[in-house]
């Protein structure tokens, strides 16, 4: 390697070092906004399934949620199709951390004892919701628990 190659290589290295330094300073000043998967992305209709374990058996059931958010507060309604019966649930909760939710649900019919909780998150695309739930089911008259998987509808 001759002196000319050494000088050019050193100059290129210095330029890249300066560009990297300035780029890092510029990126540090950007005010990031989490667009995909924020709580506001929850607004709208979500459809999917729950896979629930109850009394030793596993059941896969279709479910739909309609969420509304205000700040980190989440409210909504849900319809679950269980053994040819439509179950209507009221949902309330909050988001302690972006894309993560803690939700409580109860049957809209106050006579029916059905309630529970959901811990879930929306993925980075803002289109998939997945988590776990545990609660009490009035039809089975027992504790239920399982997984929930939803996709945002257009």
């Amino acid at each position: 390697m001759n002196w000319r190659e050494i000088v050019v290589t050193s100059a290129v290295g210095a330029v890249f070092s300066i560009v990297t330094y300035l780029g890092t300073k510029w990126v540090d000043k950007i005010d990031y906004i989490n667009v995909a998967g924020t709580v506001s992305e929850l607004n709208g209709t979500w459809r999917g399934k729950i896979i629930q374990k109850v009394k030793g058996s596993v059941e896969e059931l279709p479910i739909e949620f309609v969420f509304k958010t205000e700040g980190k507060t989440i409210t909504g309604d849900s319809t679950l199709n269980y053994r040819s019966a439509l179950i209507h649930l009221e949902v309330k909760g909050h988001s302690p951390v972006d894309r993560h939710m803690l939700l409580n649900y109860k049957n809209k019919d106050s006579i029916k004892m059905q309630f529970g909780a959901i811990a879930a998150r929306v993925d980075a695309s803002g289109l998939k919701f997945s988590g776990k739930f545990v609660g009490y089911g009035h039809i089975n008259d027992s504790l239920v628990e399982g997984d929930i998987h939803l996709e945002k509808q257009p």
Side-chain angles (χ1 to χ4, degrees):
M1 186 180 255
N2 64 32
W3 67 271
R4 206 170 182 187
E5 291 173 341
I6 294 171
V7 170
V8 169
T9 303
S10 297
V12 169
V15 168
F16 278 113
S17 296
I18 292 168
V19 168
T20 301
Y21 174 78
L22 293 174
T24 303
K25 290 295 183 189
W26 177 74
V27 168
D28 286 344
K29 290 183 180 182
I30 295 175
D31 185 18
Y32 290 102
I33 299 172
N34 186 356
V35 177
T38 61
V39 176
S40 64
E41 289 292 316
L42 208 58
N43 285 321
T45 302
W46 294 74
R47 287 192 191 108
K49 64 185 176 184
I50 62 168
I51 302 164
Q52 81 173 10
K53 299 169 194 94
V54 58
K55 293 186 177 178
S57 66
V58 177
E59 301 170 314
E60 188 172 304
L61 309 167
I63 194 165
E64 177 179 286
F65 285 85
V66 177
F67 290 117
K68 296 175 195 139
T69 63
E70 188 173 317
K72 290 187 173 236
T73 301
I74 304 162
T75 58
D77 296 310
S78 179
T79 305
L80 172 65
N81 190 344
Y82 187 67
R83 298 181 184 167
S84 300
L86 286 179
I87 298 171
H88 300 283
L89 305 171
E90 179 182 330
V91 181
K92 292 182 181 178
H94 71 286
S95 174
V97 180
D98 266 0
R99 295 181 287 150
H100 294 79
M101 277 79 52
L102 294 172
L103 305 170
N104 292 312
Y105 64 87
K106 67 178 183 176
N107 198 306
K108 283 189 167 187
D109 183 347
S110 61
I111 295 173
K112 296 178 179 162
M113 189 167 72
Q114 182 175 21
F115 56 89
I118 301 168
R121 85 180 274 281
V122 174
D123 74 354
S125 73
L127 301 174
K128 293 186 180 188
F129 175 109
S130 61
K132 300 278 189 187
F133 73 92
V134 64
Y136 187 85
H138 78 280
I139 292 174
N140 291 303
D141 193 25
S142 69
L143 291 175
V144 295
E145 55 100 5
D147 299 310
I148 183 166
H149 302 282
L150 306 173
E151 290 188 5
K152 188 163 188 178
Q153 302 303 299

